[in-house]
Amino acid sequence: MSEQDLSRERGIWFCKQADTLKRVFESRRINFYACNDISEAKNQMFRLIQGFCEEKRTHQIGFADSVTLHELDIFRDISRLENVQVCNPFERLPDGKLSVFSDAPPGKLDLPYDEYYKRISLYVDKMRQALLSDVFIVGANAITMEGEIVSVDGSGNRVSGMIFGPRKVIVVVGRNKIVKDVDSALWRIHNVAAPLNYIRHNEKHHNRYDDLPCLKAGKCVRCSHPRSACMSTVIVRGAVEFNKDRIHLILVNEDLGL
């Protein structure tokens, strides 16, 4: 017996939480699946996609940006599926830039203002296209023990796809996204997830988030900065009756995402 290994205890607690979450989410017409690890979560995702394909027209799969999905390495795996078109607006070059800047010199972007926003408009068009996919795959910032999916977004593409547009939605979250209630979710998002995501984009993707107030203060200051990713908040409390088979929430017994 090792007092340094609490994996068994964490596993037991995850099962207890998952039992409660399954009950509350499914009472709100959101399909719920608890998975022990990344491998099981990916298998569950592919079973869902296969079922959607057999059920009716499922030809295009769209993505929102998500650290969790990167950790699952799901982008590459789904691109290998037969008879499926993938719409991934967030495909990036080896140096971290978005693919719409594929002919720009390596490293930090140095484009004229007009040219930069011309490329960004192509990027936005791809995000709009993803919202018309048959299946939309996305992460979430938090899920509550009361049965809500809580997400905060800048441009709104991620939260929009959750609530309307794609025929089916697969939401993948790690156990670290479980919180007590909406207030706890919003605190975590604004003081943990959002700042870390700004730093991620600064360090990996040549973005310019250094002057955001939260990064200077070390906490959320409820700003309205023009590059803030906290412009839109969506709380999914359930699904209406005719959409009862639309949202599929996969909870993984691993810490994933921000």
Side-chain angles (χ1 to χ4, degrees), residues 24 37 56 83 87 90 104 129 135 165-166 187 222 240 246:
V24 295
D37 53 33
K56 58 170 62 177
N83 303 318
C87 180
F90 305 94
Q129 182 183 351
V135 181
W187 188 94
R222 298 180 63 84
V240 295
R246 180 174 179 270

Side-chain angles (χ1 to χ4, degrees), residues 5-13:
D5 181 6
L6 294 177
S7 58
R8 177 173 171 78
E9 290 87 342
R10 289 193 177 97
I12 293 171
W13 182 234

Side-chain angles (χ1 to χ4, degrees), residues 65-84:
D65 194 23
S66 166
V67 174
T68 296
L69 298 184
H70 282 292
E71 290 176 329
L72 265 66
D73 199 20
I74 203 66
F75 301 103
R76 181 182 60 182
D77 291 343
I78 286 183
S79 68
R80 294 172 175 169
L81 294 176
E82 295 183 358
N83 303 318
V84 165

Side-chain angles (χ1 to χ4, degrees), residues 212-230:
L212 263 74
C214 63
L215 293 188
K216 293 180 178 180
K219 63 178 183 178
C220 175
V221 296
R222 298 180 63 84
C223 76
S224 58
H225 192 284
R227 289 195 295 278
S228 170
C230 301

